[in-house]
Amino acid sequence: MSWFRRGTFALLCAGALSAAPALAQRPAGPGRPADFLDPGFHRGRREALRQLLPAGAAAVIFTAPMRNRANDVSFIFHQNPDLYYLTGYDEPDGVLVLFKEPQTVGGQSGVTEALFVQPRDPKRELWNGRRLGKDGVKQELKLQYVADNKEFAAAGINWDKFGQVLLTELPADVRDDANDPADLFSLVATLRQQAKIPADFDPRVAELHQMISRFGVANADNLRPYLTAQASAQPALAADAYVQAYLKADTKEAREKAVASRPVARIDITTLGQALDQLREVKTPEEIKLLRRAIRISAVGQQEVMKALKPNMGEMEVQGLHEYVYKKYGAEFEGYPSIVGAGANGCILHYETNDKPRIGSDLILMDCGAEYHGYTADVTRTAPPSGKFNPEQKQIYELVLAAQDAAFLACKPGATFRAPHEAAAGVITEGLKKLGIIKEDAEVRRYFPHGTSHYLGLDVHDRGRYGPLAAGNVITVEPGIYIPEGSPCDKKWWNIGVRIEDDVLITPAGWENLSKEAPRTVAEVEAMMAKASALDNFKLPELK
């Protein structure tokens, strides 16, 4: 999936799978899979995070909200990845509180972690599925203190004593269930009241304070125009003393002084996120096992679709084949909406409509990733539905392939995060000039408009600091060239869109391509497409 970084300013600066080894039993229901993360993993992550909290702080992380799809139908619930990472809890209407120093909660002393969860409810469980309840969470997830969410308001947490209350976000746009006094809406309202969060608290101001703190000196030439534009559009920023002091500083020394004057916010939405970035960017062995599984499933999906691909198929049909393979191997979801674009649609980076009824002979770009037990793959292949690349398609494809090979070589501990992108961009720039598609280096952004790498994990664009690469990082390497119709080049190149994306583990010695089972080279793709497919004789009745 093409590169995206949280935060606008950061954008500027083979066959069957063998069974995965079991990690832990989590019997939340009869017959469930046996390879969920062990409660000890989550406990270790909570303690690692607690050690990073500042003295006198409490950290609060809410479950994800339920989202309405239409009328009385909700989207399938997907847990807040931060909360899942720390607890393994996969239900709505809950809140986790971590304390730097032990506290008394609900009359229990010495508490450093408290999780408030939705209670058992036989009537609702009949309709909507089993709940763990507080007893189930204690038994299976093994947190220190667990209570019903109805007890959050009366838990006796003395919020006034904490120098900082740390959040990753304050959930907004959450529906209020009038029949549930402890739904997510009510939990957030309780925190707002008890922690004395001002009604006019603006997370955007806090985020820009963080940008000034991080980039205010080294990247002032980019940050100052960005802040000026933001302040002109947002009254809260125009009135903020820290932002204005920074913008008025006109020398490096003055900027250093302004940056250092950042006020300590009692309600802080940046510190906790930075700590989670630090932890989540380096995967543990348990996480890597699940990522390997998700990525192998996705790579086999690419293999099987290449075998079955025909010009008379539709984009949606191709999407369905990928996702059937995912389900066959036990992947619960896709990590992001599948991108399946033929011809001109392959030149749209995040094309998700996938409704072209006949893909024809144009290249088809397939950016798809299975999500297995919360961890997602992100694998892209581009293939000719006819089974053979034509000369123009082959030239562009092999240029992207050469760029990816160069990017792989830049994947090593200590390299800058942008090193793979810079290596790929250099190859693509020279290649497009040789083909006569561009004349000047700066024109490359027209045809290669995105970065080459992002972290991968519980989110497809996963948390991380985007600093030097380190062993245990899992990143994408995904150069691409997209030449939409009307581009200022020879028409023979129009509507060719190629992206090749692999998922790479940074190792102590270099890198490992986790998605290598998906064919990459022209010869490998064409050879896979020449193989018989299990779907060759699959015929459905014609609908009239």
Side-chain angles (χ1 to χ4, degrees), residues 21-74:
L23 300 179
Q25 184 70 28
R26 190 176 108 183
R32 294 206 71 196
D35 58 345
F36 287 99
L37 290 165
D38 187 270
F41 164 84
H42 301 292
R43 182 173 60 250
R45 299 295 84 199
R46 291 193 299 276
E47 184 56 27
L49 177 60
R50 200 172 69 81
Q51 293 300 320
L52 295 175
L53 301 182
V60 183
I61 301 177
F62 291 95
T63 56
M66 295 290 294
R67 292 299 188 196
N68 179 259
R69 183 177 184 273
N71 194 13
D72 58 351
V73 178
S74 295

Side-chain angles (χ1 to χ4, degrees), residues 268-524:
D268 182 315
I269 66 161
T270 60
T271 299
L272 180 57
Q274 289 173 333
L276 286 162
D277 286 347
Q278 180 178 337
L279 293 177
R280 283 180 54 184
E281 74 177 17
V282 178
K283 272 44 181 187
T284 68
E286 300 97 321
E287 293 179 286
I288 291 171
K289 285 183 181 179
L290 294 181
L291 277 165
R292 285 185 185 276
R293 181 73 174 179
I295 293 165
R296 287 203 66 205
I297 290 170
S298 306
V300 170
Q302 294 284 357
Q303 290 180 2
E304 295 304 317
V305 170
M306 286 181 189
K307 294 176 188 176
L309 201 58
K310 300 290 187 295
N312 62 354
M313 287 182 167
E315 290 172 343
M316 201 173 297
E317 181 180 2
V318 175
Q319 174 186 347
L321 295 180
H322 280 279
E323 294 173 8
Y324 171 73
V325 174
Y326 300 171
K327 300 296 185 185
K328 178 69 174 175
Y329 287 119
E332 296 92 339
F333 305 107
E334 302 81 55
Y336 52 92
S338 297
I339 298 168
V340 179
N345 295 335
C347 297
I348 301 171
L349 300 185
H350 284 177
Y351 173 77
E352 298 169 359
T353 310
N354 302 347
D355 65 353
K356 187 176 183 179
R358 187 177 184 279
I359 59 178
S361 59
D362 290 327
L363 290 178
I364 184 165
L365 187 155
M366 303 174 291
D367 185 339
C368 307
E371 181 185 300
Y372 187 81
H373 295 359
Y375 287 82
T376 181
D378 188 2
V379 181
T380 306
R381 291 295 185 264
T382 307
S386 66
K388 294 286 185 181
F389 291 88
N390 69 31
E392 289 75 28
Q393 293 169 348
K394 184 176 180 180
Q395 284 177 290
I396 297 298
Y397 189 94
E398 290 190 328
L399 176 53
V400 175
L401 189 70
Q404 191 188 40
D405 286 337
F408 284 151
L409 296 178
C411 293
K412 53 189 176 183
T416 66
F417 198 89
R418 282 186 61 83
H421 173 76
E422 290 167 356
V427 171
I428 288 177
T429 300
E430 291 306 310
L432 290 179
K433 287 166 70 175
K434 288 180 180 178
L435 292 173
I437 295 174
I438 65 173
K439 295 181 179 179
E440 304 295 332
D441 289 3
E443 296 177 77
V444 72
R445 291 288 293 176
R446 175 188 293 274
Y447 302 112
F448 180 24
H450 60 79
T452 302
S453 300
H454 57 77
Y455 293 110
L456 193 63
L458 285 166
D459 286 301
V460 65
H461 301 124
D462 208 29
R463 278 193 176 276
R465 294 171 294 179
Y466 287 81
L469 294 173
N473 293 160
V474 178
I475 66 170
T476 62
V477 177
E478 50 174 312
I481 295 173
Y482 317 89
I483 311 176
E485 185 173 346
S487 296
C489 62
D490 193 311
K491 292 181 179 180
K492 69 180 182 179
W493 306 113
W494 286 4
N495 292 332
I496 295 178
V498 174
R499 182 159 64 249
I500 309 172
E501 178 178 19
D502 282 280
D503 301 340
V504 169
L505 171 66
I506 305 300
T507 67
W511 58 278
E512 178 188 353
N513 183 359
L514 301 180
S515 49
K516 60 182 178 294
E517 289 177 87
R520 285 183 64 242
T521 68
V522 166
E524 289 169 348

Side-chain angles (χ1 to χ4, degrees), residues 7 52 88 142 155 188 191 216 256 484:
L52 295 175
K142 304 186 187 307
V188 173
L191 180 71
E256 288 174 346

